[in-house]
Amino acid sequence: MTRRRTQAFGPLGWRLLGAFIVVALSSVLTLTVAALIGTDRGLAATERASRQQTAARVADAAARGYPAEGGWASADLTAARALADAAGAQLMIRDATGAMVWPGRAPAGAGMGHGGQSATGGAVNAPVLVTGRTVGTVNLIFATAPTTDGRSVAWQWVAAAGTVALLVAFAVGGYVVWRLNAPLVVMIRAARAFTGGDRTARAHLDAVGELGELGDAVDAMADQVVHTEQVRRQHAADIAHELRTPLAALQAGLEELRDGLQPADPARLAGLHDQSLRLGRVVEDLAELSAAESAALSLRPADVELADIVARATDGQETHLRSAGLHVHRDLHPPVNVHADPDRLHQAVTNLLTNATRYCRPGDQVHIRVDAVDQQARIQITDTGPGIGPAELPHVFDRLWRGADHRSVTGAGIGLAVVRELVTAHGGTIHATSRPGHGTTFTIGLPLATAPQQRRL
């Protein structure tokens, strides 16, 4: 068995890939824009802080050049002008009244912005303090907005990182979509081939996780369908065989009577009648199985005492059991109430007892027990017959199964299949245990009846 791989992308794969691309693209673009805006604002804030520090240093230099006598008229502003020129800014100094000190004179308040910054956003202010007293204000006017060099570098790096992230997202998304879509494509092809008549078509997926389990489940389902078809064909052959034998005997007998080869005496007619009865039993068994398979649609449930049903079924089979030389022992423990169809349960117990008469030997024991175990009603029918082999035990409830020695046993092998269908229709379970040479036990489990008021709820 080989495992299949494929790189084919179906419509679902392309839709998944498109969804991955949209999500990745939107995520990368959102993060890129947020990073760029944050970087831009951070650089701008850093530049403003740097200019403010420069203004503070210029103001400090102006304070050092401010004389004790004579005021701003005799101040030495050489150091302050040098610092402003080094920073590439135009220096303006005003005294405490707002009058221009450097360069020249201007009306009070001219060129000043609000909050220590000019209206254009390219100027910063700093007070000039001498002995703790504000004697003026330094105003630095920069020729350009905050430098864009750092911003350009940041934009380049963020754009490069976003591009790489987007490519990685595309690659990872494509791989994930391929891993998701490829097994689905394989299963679709296998299912179509199987539906088209190729009963050997299987997915044989090389996948892990839920997709691998799904592929295995699809293959197991296909195997079960093939097995079911084989079983049905075998059942059809077995049914044809069961019908062919009495039909052939009837046809031969009637031809002999028609051609006058045999007299139409009571013995000959009785033989033909027996063959017709055998044919009728096969047809009746098949009809019974069909009815049992649809029993859930025809149940007439009621609150019944399970021990009474089993007792009546046993009484009805008592004669047949004794004729087969079997010794019956009853161990019934009422009350065991169930909500079930009494006629269907009677039929199930009857079929089990009939099965015992067919397979048990004269002198064997049959023990019938009814009790309640673990909140479940239980019927156990145990015999001391030859038992069932381990290879045959799993097939006891199959249709038309009669075991290895079926030629020595009458019946069409439908009775136990009917029992399983009837029990399952009641929501119960049935299983068989056996030890070859030591007998077989059939156990039926049924839900106990709930109280009337609980059922009405």
Side-chain angles (χ1 to χ4, degrees):
M1 179 175 61
T2 60
R3 293 282 179 176
R4 296 181 183 177
R5 286 182 179 270
T6 180
Q7 296 183 355
F9 267 33
L12 177 61
W14 288 113
R15 286 196 292 269
L16 287 175
L17 182 59
F20 270 105
I21 291 175
V22 170
V23 172
L25 184 61
S26 60
S27 300
V28 170
L29 289 179
T30 300
L31 293 176
T32 300
V33 171
L36 290 175
I37 292 175
T39 301
D40 185 66
R41 292 184 177 180
L43 290 174
T46 301
E47 183 72 14
R48 286 194 298 270
S50 176
R51 291 181 175 185
Q52 192 65 49
Q53 291 176 358
T54 301
R57 289 195 299 270
V58 173
D60 185 62
R64 288 194 302 270
Y66 188 85
E69 299 292 339
W72 286 106
S74 59
D76 183 6
L77 302 179
T78 303
R81 292 201 308 271
L83 289 174
D85 291 341
Q90 179 184 356
L91 175 62
M92 296 176 62
I93 300 177
R94 298 176 185 275
D95 61 15
T97 63
M100 183 72 71
V101 173
W102 178 267
R105 294 207 173 255
M112 297 293 293
H114 299 283
Q117 186 170 319
S118 70
T120 62
V124 291
N125 301 330
V128 180
L129 301 176
V130 177
T131 64
R133 180 173 60 90
T134 301
V135 297
T137 302
V138 167
N139 185 14
L140 294 180
I141 302 175
F142 291 88
T144 60
T147 179
T148 59
D149 293 341
R151 185 181 303 113
S152 299
V153 173
W155 276 66
Q156 292 173 3
W157 277 99
V158 172
T163 302
V164 172
L166 193 59
L167 293 176
V168 171
F170 286 171
V172 173
Y175 175 75
V176 171
V177 170
W178 174 75
R179 292 292 294 176
L180 291 174
N181 186 72
L184 296 178
V185 173
V186 172
M187 283 188 285
I188 291 172
R189 291 175 178 173
R192 287 176 176 171
F194 189 87
T195 304
D198 182 6
R199 290 298 184 256
T200 63
R202 298 292 185 274
H204 298 316
L205 286 181
D206 182 17
V208 296
E210 288 78 0
L211 286 174
E213 294 178 2
L214 177 60
D216 293 340
V218 170
D219 290 347
M221 181 174 60
D223 293 338
Q224 184 61 37
V225 170
V226 172
H227 174 71
T228 301
E229 289 181 350
Q230 293 174 348
V231 171
R232 289 189 180 276
R233 285 195 294 268
Q234 184 62 42
H235 288 174
D238 292 341
I239 292 172
H241 174 74
E242 292 293 332
L243 294 174
R244 186 184 299 113
T245 301
L247 280 175
L250 277 174
Q251 182 179 0
L254 291 174
E255 288 177 353
E256 289 177 344
L257 293 180
R258 182 196 62 186
D259 298 337
L261 300 178
Q262 294 290 341
D265 53 19
R268 175 62 58 179
L269 295 177
L272 295 177
H273 182 259
D274 290 340
Q275 294 298 333
S276 67
L277 291 177
R278 181 181 177 185
L279 180 62
R281 281 195 300 269
V282 174
V283 175
E284 183 179 352
D285 288 342
L286 293 174
E288 186 176 280
L289 176 60
S290 177
E293 289 177 341
S294 60
L297 302 177
S298 59
L299 292 179
R300 295 182 177 85
D303 287 341
V304 293
E305 167 55 49
L306 188 58
D308 291 342
I309 296 175
V310 175
R312 286 190 279 107
T314 305
D315 291 340
Q317 293 297 312
E318 187 77 27
T319 302
H320 297 288
L321 292 168
R322 289 181 179 177
S323 299
L326 304 181
H327 302 284
V328 180
H329 304 276
R330 307 186 190 193
D331 188 11
L332 311 181
H333 297 276
V336 179
N337 296 316
V338 295
H339 190 69
D341 187 330
D343 294 332
R344 296 295 189 179
L345 290 185
H346 186 284
Q347 180 183 2
V349 175
T350 298
N351 284 6
L352 290 177
L353 295 176
T354 302
N355 187 74
T357 62
R358 289 175 176 170
Y359 287 92
C360 290
R361 302 156 300 192
D364 284 337
Q365 309 286 325
V366 178
H367 299 268
I368 305 171
R369 180 181 179 85
V370 174
D371 56 9
V373 178
D374 296 332
Q375 301 300 314
Q376 189 178 44
R378 185 177 66 174
I379 305 173
Q380 277 190 328
I381 299 179
T382 304
D383 62 60
T384 59
I388 305 171
E392 298 179 350
L393 190 60
H395 304 288
V396 293
F397 298 107
D398 292 349
R399 300 174 181 87
L400 302 174
W401 183 87
R402 291 188 295 171
D405 55 347
H406 62 276
R407 291 181 177 84
S408 62
V409 180
T410 61
I414 295 177
L416 293 182
V418 171
V419 174
R420 181 182 61 182
E421 297 295 338
L422 292 176
V423 172
T424 303
H426 284 86
T429 59
I430 182 171
H431 65 274
T433 58
S434 181
R435 293 174 55 197
H438 295 82
T440 303
T441 299
F442 290 94
T443 303
I444 295 176
L446 295 169
L448 289 171
T450 57
Q453 59 270 23
Q454 290 178 332
R455 282 201 305 277
R456 284 197 296 270
L457 293 176

